[in-house]
Amino acid sequence: MAFVSPLGNYETLAATCLIDAGVLSARIKAVEAAKTASIESSGPQTTQEVKKLQLQLFESAQALLQAVTPPEYTLTQGLSASIMDLTAFRYISRWEVAKGVPAEGSVTYKDLATRLKVDESQMKRILRYAMTRQVFIETPTGEVAHTQASLLLLQGGISTLNRYSTNRGFPIASSFNEALEKWGHGSQEPNETAFNIFKGTDLAMFDYYEKNPSYATDFHQVMSFFTKTAPLSHDHIKKAFDWSSLSFSTVVDVGGSLGHCSLAILETNPTVTCIVQDLPQIITKATDPSTSIVPEHLSKRISFQTHSFWDPQPVSADVYFMRMIFHDWPLKYSKKILHALLQGMKPGARLLIMDYVTLPYGKLSLADERRMRIRDLQMAVMHNALERDEGEWRQLFAETDSRLRLVEIRTPPGSALSLIEVVLDAAIETKTEVESVVPESVQEKPQPIGIVSQYMVPQAA
Ligand SMILES: C[S@@+](CC[C@H](N)C(=O)[O-])C[C@H]1O[C@@H](n2cnc3c(N)ncnc32)[C@H](O)[C@@H]1O
């Protein structure tokens, strides 16, 4: 007898949709009424509120849809749809179809095909499929017009992400099985991945990017797009830790890219200085006046240093900040990063890791659960890495060095990332890199319970 997942009964799920729909409609009506009466409706805040309610309804509807989806659908028709979504979006992105359609009004298939220099019949079939996903629409006179979704393809961030997902993400992920066949199951080597099969390279992804900076551009654009989304907003960096408690401290931002996180930290405390470390290509970009993102008023308190986190940490600082670094690396390599960092850390120094902390299966809404699992698999196919739960974070610290004490895990409301605060205790013994067994002293030592409060996940990362 198959296990039927407890998704709740149909009436409850449908009632939730009805309530959410009612609240959303009422809010939209109130906003419209305020506009008609020329009453000041509070602008972006109102738009945000409506979006939030729309998202709530979308999530309730997904839960209902999931409950009523026939079991065979996901494995058959649903799968065919996923394949054709990717095929159509890949075509649309490659031949920049969105740019050929006027933002207002419509265009005939013939004129559009001529504009794009493609075959009209092929294009029409692709677009008619995409229309089933609300991307473009056919007007009553048989012409092509934009929908809200297709218009988004004219925006930098979303079109870059769409191009990256269809051209890179999809072909890379589809090589996952080949990577396992070639290198075996459970490899922890970052150069034995689906990415390596896809590119035919023996370089790990970030090393490949260092050697092929133009190829890396898309990735960095996608990262910068994600950083602007609410769940990865810099505000969470400011709120996750009491930066004002630091006095004339130096923060080393390891793998800090162009320094965007450090800039957020600097804004919280005028006595703090930051050193951003990253690979040579990135530091060149960060310090080149034409690509630097550092505003004049913060330039005296931030510096950049070429440093690979595989090498001993050259700076002895009060605080080390590492955001979205460890999720790119499996246990074996994360331990190596920590060992190299420990070379520069003095007792009492703090390591602030801002990264994902996954929750046990089933603790999140279906939509959030799915987003979390997507990210985890992205790490698997790109790097043989993973998103960690609290136990896996504890394991990483305990297996690296018994002096690394996890103080607390905090998740600011609305943040996809948690702040994991770790202190280097003054202690007796440092484990060597080759040892991987958790020593008895650590097993017996009561660990503080981490606080994983509100947990939200972004669209992807
Ligand atoms: C996922 S990005 C995170 C960037 C930034 N910390 C943030 O939160 O947006 C990973 C960063 O690690 C850097 N990186 C990769 N390998 C590195 C290495 N060996 N040493 C230092 N930085 C490295 C990459 O260049 C990139 O900037």
Side-chain angles (χ1 to χ4, degrees):
M1 182 70 184
F3 178 75
V4 181
S5 64
L7 280 165
N9 64 46
Y10 301 137
E11 286 97 337
T12 310
L13 291 166
T16 309
C17 291
L18 206 57
I19 292 166
D20 290 347
V23 174
L24 174 62
S25 296
R27 191 70 196 109
I28 292 173
K29 276 186 200 140
V31 172
E32 290 303 321
K35 266 192 212 150
T36 319
S38 316
I39 299 169
E40 192 63 36
S41 68
S42 55
Q45 206 186 324
T46 310
T47 315
Q48 278 302 102
E49 206 187 317
V50 170
K51 269 198 163 165
K52 211 170 146 192
L53 294 174
Q54 254 164 354
L55 197 63
Q56 201 169 308
L57 174 57
F58 173 65
E59 304 217 332
S60 314
Q62 281 198 81
L64 176 61
L65 193 63
Q66 177 94 346
V68 299
T69 301
E72 69 282 6
Y73 179 89
T74 312
L75 303 173
T76 55
Q77 222 182 314
L79 184 60
S80 306
S82 301
I83 295 169
M84 287 314 146
D85 285 356
L86 285 161
T87 309
F89 294 150
R90 198 157 183 239
Y91 176 102
I92 288 164
S93 161
R94 166 66 182 81
W95 280 280
E96 300 188 316
V97 179
K99 285 188 187 161
V101 178
E104 283 175 26
S106 55
V107 60
T108 62
Y109 281 108
K110 190 170 190 302
D111 285 350
L112 182 58
T114 309
R115 236 175 250 178
L116 302 175
K117 299 191 180 68
V118 297
D119 179 77
E120 181 188 338
S121 162
Q122 254 170 7
M123 182 200 72
K124 186 189 270 185
R125 286 153 62 204
I126 290 279
L127 292 192
R128 282 184 165 167
Y129 174 78
M131 286 169 191
T132 68
R133 310 293 276 161
Q134 280 80 51
V135 179
F136 302 105
I137 190 168
E138 195 169 294
T139 66
T141 55
E143 298 194 347
V144 184
H146 270 297
T147 56
Q148 278 187 357
S150 61
L151 271 176
L152 290 176
L153 291 174
L154 297 172
Q155 288 180 14
I158 291 198
S159 64
T160 307
L161 176 60
N162 191 270
R163 187 176 63 239
Y164 184 85
S165 300
T166 54
N167 266 342
R168 303 261 190 95
F170 158 54
I172 292 172
S174 68
S175 300
F176 187 55
N177 280 9
E178 284 69 18
L180 301 187
E181 274 158 12
K182 183 163 181 184
W183 290 296
H185 291 257
S187 168
Q188 286 206 43
E189 296 305 321
N191 65 349
E192 295 181 354
T193 66
F195 173 83
N196 295 96
I197 298 280
F198 171 65
K199 283 313 298 177
T201 176
D202 57 5
L203 292 175
M205 194 184 93
F206 286 116
D207 295 334
Y208 185 85
Y209 285 173
E210 262 306 282
K211 295 239 156 50
N212 302 275
S214 62
Y215 189 82
T217 306
D218 262 6
F219 174 78
H220 288 294
Q221 280 176 357
V222 167
M223 284 306 297
S224 96
F225 167 71
F226 280 132
T227 301
K228 291 187 189 104
T229 60
L232 292 181
S233 151
H234 289 141
D235 275 352
H236 303 311
I237 300 175
K238 296 181 186 176
K239 288 180 189 144
F241 181 73
D242 182 12
W243 298 103
S244 66
S245 66
L246 301 178
S247 177
F248 295 94
S249 301
T250 300
V251 176
V252 178
D253 184 359
V254 185
S257 190
L258 302 185
H260 57 99
C261 300
S262 285
L263 296 179
I265 294 169
L266 290 177
E267 281 171 10
T268 63
N269 182 333
T271 72
V272 162
T273 51
C274 286
I275 301 172
V276 180
Q277 299 177 333
D278 211 300
L279 294 170
Q281 296 277 1
I282 305 286
I283 295 299
T284 305
K285 227 174 146 192
T287 49
D288 179 337
S290 70
T291 40
S292 160
I293 58 163
V294 178
E296 177 63 30
H297 71 284
L298 295 177
S299 61
K300 296 236 164 15
R301 293 194 287 130
I302 187 167
S303 57
F304 292 87
Q305 184 177 46
T306 296
H307 168 65
S308 168
F309 47 55
W310 305 122
D311 299 331
Q313 175 55 245
V315 182
S316 178
D318 311 290
V319 176
Y320 298 86
F321 181 73
M322 299 180 80
R323 183 172 178 268
M324 293 172 77
I325 300 298
F326 289 98
H327 81 146
D328 288 334
W329 301 98
L331 181 63
K332 173 178 165 185
Y333 286 92
S334 292
K335 286 202 271 185
K336 280 182 194 281
I337 294 172
L338 281 177
H339 277 294
L341 181 72
L342 282 166
Q343 309 284 316
M345 261 179 112
K346 54 183 187 252
R350 250 181 292 215
L351 167 60
L352 302 180
I353 296 173
M354 226 172 155
D355 223 318
Y356 299 94
V357 179
T358 62
L359 297 180
Y361 188 86
K363 293 277 178 213
L364 295 168
S365 72
L366 195 64
D368 284 346
E369 181 84 49
R370 181 173 261 215
R371 284 196 277 268
M372 188 170 81
R373 302 294 155 196
I374 288 173
R375 274 201 326 269
D376 183 42
L377 286 187
Q378 280 171 337
M379 292 307 114
V381 298
M382 298 287 184
H383 312 289
N384 272 337
L386 72 161
E387 303 296 3
R388 297 178 164 83
D389 61 23
E390 184 174 335
E392 286 162 328
W393 282 108
R394 286 188 182 283
Q395 180 193 8
L396 168 62
F397 305 132
E399 288 192 10
T400 303
D401 192 307
S402 58
R403 296 171 303 161
L404 287 171
R405 179 168 50 88
L406 195 159
V407 177
E408 194 178 7
I409 299 177
R410 279 175 235 118
T411 313
S415 172
L417 306 177
S418 302
L419 188 123
I420 305 164
E421 182 175 347
V422 178
V423 166
L424 181 66
D425 281 339
I428 340 98
E429 151 225 20
T430 307
K431 286 179 58 57
T432 61
E433 202 169 315
V434 282
E435 292 175 87
S436 64
V437 182
V438 183
E440 273 176 24
S441 58
V442 172
Q443 286 171 357
E444 284 166 6
K445 194 160 126 193
Q447 298 282 344
I449 306 293
I451 300 167
V452 182
S453 57
Q454 184 176 345
Y455 192 88
M456 281 187 62
V457 271
Q459 302 303 315

